[in-house]
């Protein structure tokens, strides 16, 4: 890893505790209970995975960490300090960068404008302060190339990229600006096998660089490949919390699907297979 | 802040790293042109120009150019901020009467306080900006559509213009302020004209050109410009990456207000008296100019130069009909047909441009 990218992590680790911690957090949308009593720790150089079915509350969880929603009960601690995030900008300023499931990009804008949106570098001063377009273009290209995405043209509207390419642009952007914590909401959901591998490799590299990562996924295989801690959500409630050495992939998969339900499912599937052959 | 990304695939910048890419077919200049938002408007402008060159004898005279440009500039000055606002995804239906309101404030404040007209001009700037800020703040606080909010301020301003003028002046128009101190210098700034050869150019044309240049600079080369496109293209995404969405919108409405002030001062200092009922309906003409110029009505796409071309089409059509000695009643028909044709052309061009990427 480059010396530059590890300095941020050393700062975070110096404090010792988790970079971000959720303690008994709850969130209600009107009368809908989206989350209830969920706890989570994110450590520097660690990947905390959040697993759960559709509607389990995974996206809600990270929207709290990202400053998009405020939690209704419990505590959010950043570097050990109780915090209520005022806005996504606030979270960004504290070093929490998020890649959203419904990718936060503006389809009609060129890739390079999207890459720097909200954090545009400028040159000159006073009335002559202007975007540093050359730097923006070049940085975008270089950052994407480092991720293995060799873009044809950073001037094309981001809406014309493939889903995987768009995901990688969003991750590359988050890593480029994210000082300490990277939050990813189902980064591999829409991707092919190879692209998923690239994204996971990139996530692991971010961890090795000392970032704390929150990885949200449906896929226990992906989670087990890279994760250190696993938090399982079921209908808004935390149904399990494990570290890597206390659980195997099989156990994780079974617990996610709900043990007996899975046994039943495999039984049914076996029978179906038997019928067709 | 700019942390190096952890290298996953650290390919050295090979020969094709420096710009060439075998998948990227060479983009012909024509294709680049097709991707510009104002292309439809330029084609339309050429067509209108040729049309009136043939059917209106005096259209091609040098003196006509000054007249056409003047008509275009009075619309163009307002079409610029309205286009920016539309790129930002919003409308302002109060823009037309705001121009009149701004002129009324200058005139009546100067007359009533019998001070220097420049005091009235300054007060008018503050009042007009406050109206713009009101539109913007209402929009960002209430989350109501801008169509409704500015329809409300449009009606309120229309009433205020008429009601207050009658209350203060006793009639529907303001009193003359031509004999007051500062009038000549203010007139020079807002309503003078210069002669180039045998072409008479009004100073509004300079204002217009300056505003188009400034808006283009803002749109393409500043952070604020980046935010305008983002807020109009996907406000949620913009907010999520830290763009100050509310401030951007308020800024856009204040931009409209500023240009309404410029327009209003021109109105006042070229005619000396202001009719309080004027301006109704102009807001639609500004929007038409912006749309003809290639602004996407749903936001996120467009240009300031396009709005200028739209305004120029407006100027050519309104004066061309006079030069052709037709009944001016036909003007609205032409404008409507132009709007439809230009939007169709824009939509077609954009589809072609996107399909061929
Ligand atoms: N803005 C909202 N208003 C009301 N209810 C909401 C809102 N957002 C989410 N919910 C509800 O909260 C619950 C959790 O949603 P969430 O998006 O967090 O699920 P998820 O685990 O991310 O699902 P998926 O895997 O499909 O992305 C769902 O029942 C959803 O309907
Ligand atoms: Mg989700």
């Amino acid at each position: 890893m480059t010396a530059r990218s590890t300095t941020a992590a050393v700062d975070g680790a110096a404090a010792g505790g988790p970079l971000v911690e959720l303690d008994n957090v709850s969130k209600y949308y009107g009368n809908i209970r989206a989350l209830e009593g969920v706890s989570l720790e994110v450590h520097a150089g660690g990947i905390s995975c959040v697993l759960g079915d559709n509607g389990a509350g995974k996206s809600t969880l990270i929207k709290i960490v990202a400053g998009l929603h405020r939690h209704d009960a419990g505590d959010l601690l950043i570097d050990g300090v109780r915090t209520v995030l005022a806005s996504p900008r606030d979270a960004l300023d504290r070093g929490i960068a998020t890649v959203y499931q419904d990718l936060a990009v503006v389809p009609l804008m060129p890739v390079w404008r999207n890459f720097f949106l909200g954090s545009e570098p400028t040159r000159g001063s006073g009335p002559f302060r202007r975007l540093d377009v050359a730097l923006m273009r070049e940085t975008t290209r270089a950052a994407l190339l480092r991720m293995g995405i060799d873009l044809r043209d950073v001037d094309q509207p981001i809406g014309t990229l493939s889903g995987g390419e768009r995901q990688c642009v969003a991750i590359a952007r988050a890593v480029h600006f994210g000082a300490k914590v990277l939050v990813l909401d189902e980064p591999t959901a829409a991707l092919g096998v190879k692209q998923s591998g690239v994204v996971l490799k990139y996530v692991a590299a971010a961890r090795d660089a000392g970032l704390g990562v929150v990885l949200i996924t449906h896929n226990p295989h992906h989670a087990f490949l890279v994760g250190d801690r696993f938090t399982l959500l079921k209908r808004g409630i935390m149904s399990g919390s494990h570290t890597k050495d206390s659980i195997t992939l099989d156990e994780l998969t079974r617990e996610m699907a709900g043990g007996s339900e899975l046994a039943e499912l495999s039984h049914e599937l076996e029978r179906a297979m038997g019928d067709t052959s | 802040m700019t942390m190096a990304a952890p290298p996953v695939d650290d390919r050295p910048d090979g020969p094709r790293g420096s710009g060439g890419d075998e998948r990227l077919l060479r983009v012909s200049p024509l294709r680049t042109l097709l991707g510009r938002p104002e292309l439809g408007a330029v084609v339309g402008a050429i067509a209108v120009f040729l049309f009136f060159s043939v059917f209106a004898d005096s259209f091609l005279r040098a003196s006509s150019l000054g007249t056409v440009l003047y008509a275009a500039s009075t619309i163009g000055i307002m079409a610029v901020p309205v286009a920016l606002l539309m790129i930002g995804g919003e409308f302002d239906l109060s823009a037309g009467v705001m121009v009149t309101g701004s002129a009324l404030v200058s005139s009546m404040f100067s007359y009533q306080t019998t001070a220097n007209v420049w005091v009235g001009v300054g007060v008018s700037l503050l009042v007009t900006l406050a109206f713009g800020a009101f539109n913007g703040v209402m929009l960002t606080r209430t989350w109501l559509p801008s169509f409704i909010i500015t329809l409300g301020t449009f009606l309120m301003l229309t009433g205020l213009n008429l009601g207050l003028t009658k209350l203060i002046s006793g009639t529907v128009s303001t009193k003359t302020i031509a004999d007051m101190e500062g009038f000549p210098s203010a007139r020079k700034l807002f309503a003078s004209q210069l002669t180039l050869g045998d072409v008479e150019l009004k100073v509004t044309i300079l204002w217009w050109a300056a505003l188009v240049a400034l808006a283009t600079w803002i749109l393409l080369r500043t952070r604020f410009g980046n935010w305008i496109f983002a807020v109009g293209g996907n406000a949620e995404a913009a907010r999520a990456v830290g763009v100050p969405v509310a401030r951007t919108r308020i800024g856009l409405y204040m931009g409209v207000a500023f240009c309404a002030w410029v327009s209003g001062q021109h109105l006042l200092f070229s005619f000396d008296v202001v009719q309080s009922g004027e301006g109704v309906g102009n807001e639609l003409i500004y929007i038409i100019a912006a749309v003809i110029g290639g602004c996407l009505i749903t936001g996120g796409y467009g240009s300031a130069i396009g709005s200028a071309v739209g305004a120029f089409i407006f100027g050519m059509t309104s004066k061309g009909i006079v030069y052709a000695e037709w009944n001016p009643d036909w003007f609205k028909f032409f404008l409507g047909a132009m709007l439809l044709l230009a939007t169709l052309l824009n939509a077609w061009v954009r589809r072609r441009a996107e399909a061929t990427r």
Side-chain angles (χ1 to χ4, degrees):
Chain A
M1 288 309 113
T2 58
R4 217 146 53 91
S5 52
T6 41
T7 47
V10 174
D11 292 349
L19 295 173
V20 173
E21 186 178 356
L22 292 176
D23 186 23
N24 253 314
V25 162
S26 304
K27 170 77 195 170
Y28 311 96
Y29 292 114
N31 60 351
I32 298 172
R33 185 195 64 191
L35 280 180
E36 176 100 23
V38 175
S39 302
L40 176 78
E41 283 182 15
V42 188
H43 289 266
I47 299 184
S48 307
C49 297
V50 179
L51 297 116
D53 276 330
N54 294 117
K58 306 184 296 295
S59 298
T60 305
L61 184 77
I62 66 138
K63 279 177 179 162
I64 292 172
V65 177
L68 219 57
H69 293 327
R70 279 179 215 176
H71 47 288
D72 297 313
D75 291 325
L76 166 67
L77 295 98
I78 296 179
D79 290 325
V81 184
R82 271 192 65 184
T83 314
V84 176
L85 292 170
S87 68
R89 181 81 256 166
D90 191 11
L92 280 170
D93 290 343
R94 291 164 193 269
I96 301 174
T98 307
V99 176
Y100 296 91
Q101 185 175 20
D102 37 15
L103 298 166
V105 298
V106 184
L108 280 171
M109 284 172 84
V111 175
W112 62 274
R113 282 185 182 268
N114 263 291
F115 191 91
F116 282 98
L117 186 58
S119 314
E120 299 88 348
T122 55
R123 47 190 296 193
S125 58
F128 299 107
R129 207 168 137 214
R130 60 198 183 274
L131 295 182
D132 195 342
V133 175
L135 177 77
M136 288 167 82
R137 280 216 174 88
E138 197 38 52
T139 311
T140 305
R141 233 181 47 74
L144 291 179
L145 202 60
R146 261 201 302 276
M147 264 199 85
I149 305 249
D150 184 5
L151 217 55
R152 275 152 285 184
D153 175 12
V154 290
D155 262 311
Q156 69 193 101
I158 204 164
T160 62
L161 295 188
S162 82
E165 286 174 324
R166 224 157 26 195
Q167 186 78 55
C168 286
V169 173
I171 296 178
R173 172 173 75 184
V175 171
H176 184 80
F177 292 108
K180 286 190 289 186
V181 180
L182 177 61
V183 184
L184 304 165
D185 193 0
E186 300 192 26
T188 56
L191 302 188
V193 178
K194 186 152 168 279
Q195 275 75 26
S196 294
V198 170
V199 169
L200 288 177
K201 240 166 48 184
Y202 200 58
V203 170
R207 171 201 56 200
D208 293 341
L211 277 83
V213 180
V214 183
L215 177 68
I216 290 178
T217 177
H218 285 298
N219 189 325
H221 298 273
H222 286 168
F224 203 74
L225 265 175
V226 294
D228 309 294
R229 292 158 188 277
F230 308 97
T231 302
L232 288 113
L233 292 182
K234 192 169 272 179
R235 298 213 253 150
I237 304 174
M238 197 163 71
S239 64
S241 180
H242 308 277
T243 54
K244 178 134 189 183
D245 30 311
S246 70
I247 195 168
T248 66
L249 174 58
D250 277 350
E251 284 164 356
L252 188 67
T253 314
R254 198 168 311 133
E255 196 171 322
M256 223 194 119
S260 56
E261 287 165 42
L262 188 71
E264 205 170 286
L265 181 66
S266 73
H267 190 68
E268 261 174 42
L269 285 174
E270 263 164 33
R271 220 175 35 210
M273 301 281 272
D275 287 349
T276 51
S277 62
Chain B
M1 181 162 89
T2 50
M3 207 195 70
V8 167
D9 186 355
D10 224 343
R11 238 176 303 175
D13 257 16
R16 66 202 186 88
S18 50
D21 186 321
E22 76 285 352
R23 289 165 304 174
L24 184 63
L25 306 175
R26 237 181 63 75
V27 180
S28 68
L30 182 70
R31 177 111 316 141
T32 318
L33 202 69
L34 276 175
R36 302 286 315 160
E38 53 280 275
L39 176 81
V42 170
V43 173
I46 293 171
V48 172
F49 182 82
L50 292 179
F51 181 84
F52 284 114
S53 305
V54 173
F55 289 98
D57 295 335
S58 47
F59 187 73
L60 282 179
R61 268 188 226 141
S63 61
S64 307
L65 181 69
T67 317
V68 167
L69 277 177
Y70 173 57
S73 71
T74 53
I75 295 303
I77 287 175
M78 287 305 289
V80 170
V82 167
L84 258 54
L85 185 67
M86 194 177 286
I87 296 170
E90 308 295 344
F91 292 106
D92 189 350
L93 297 179
S94 68
V97 286
M98 201 184 280
V99 171
T100 313
S102 185
L104 289 171
V105 171
S106 303
S107 170
M108 290 195 292
F109 190 89
S110 302
Y111 188 85
Q112 293 302 323
T113 60
T114 54
N116 192 308
V117 293
W118 282 102
V119 179
V121 170
V123 169
S124 166
L125 176 61
L126 295 181
V127 171
T128 317
L129 285 179
F131 278 129
F134 177 81
N135 275 334
V137 171
M138 282 292 281
L139 178 81
T140 53
R141 285 286 158 84
T142 62
W143 296 96
L144 291 173
S146 60
F147 186 88
I148 297 298
I149 288 176
T150 59
L151 186 61
T153 46
F154 159 71
L155 292 171
M156 282 158 58
L157 273 178
T158 313
L160 272 180
N161 284 350
L162 288 165
L164 281 182
T165 308
K166 257 193 196 146
L167 206 65
I168 295 172
S169 310
T171 60
V172 289
S173 63
T174 60
K175 303 275 193 331
T176 173
I177 56 164
D179 50 355
M180 287 181 62
E181 216 177 307
F183 189 90
S185 55
R187 181 175 199 140
K188 194 157 248 153
L189 181 62
F190 292 109
S192 58
Q193 59 185 15
L194 26 141
T195 317
L196 277 182
D198 43 355
V199 187
E200 299 214 317
L201 296 176
K202 297 266 188 184
V203 72
T204 45
I205 298 167
L206 291 183
W207 277 100
W208 180 35
L211 284 169
V212 171
L214 179 68
T216 304
W217 162 263
I218 288 176
L219 269 183
L220 298 182
R221 284 295 175 267
T222 68
R223 303 187 71 186
F224 187 66
N226 218 30
W227 298 344
I228 295 174
F229 280 112
V231 167
N234 186 348
E236 269 311 299
R239 186 171 106 84
V241 295
V243 171
V245 174
R247 264 202 292 143
T248 305
R249 287 187 174 139
I250 295 172
L252 285 171
Y253 275 102
M254 293 183 69
V256 175
F258 175 79
C259 293
W261 171 76
V262 174
S263 258
Q265 304 320 297
H266 169 69
L267 203 64
L268 171 61
F269 291 106
S270 58
F271 300 109
D272 181 20
V273 289
V274 185
Q275 302 296 328
S276 57
E278 257 178 68
V280 177
N282 282 354
E283 63 282 342
L284 290 181
I285 293 178
Y286 309 145
I287 291 174
I288 289 169
V291 171
I292 289 181
C295 288
L296 204 55
I297 208 151
T298 46
Y301 190 80
S303 78
I305 293 175
S307 81
V309 181
F312 189 57
I313 291 182
F314 172 90
M316 283 194 293
T317 315
S318 65
K319 295 301 162 198
I321 285 177
V322 176
Y323 291 132
E325 291 171 3
W326 293 341
N327 190 326
D329 296 343
W330 288 98
F331 171 63
K332 284 278 160 62
F333 173 82
F334 265 88
L335 201 61
M338 206 77 67
L339 176 67
L340 283 184
L341 282 177
T343 0
L344 277 175
L345 189 61
N346 283 337
W348 179 76
V349 163
R350 199 160 34 241
R351 259 202 306 279
R352 291 275 324 247
E354 265 157 26
T356 46
R357 272 182 197 277

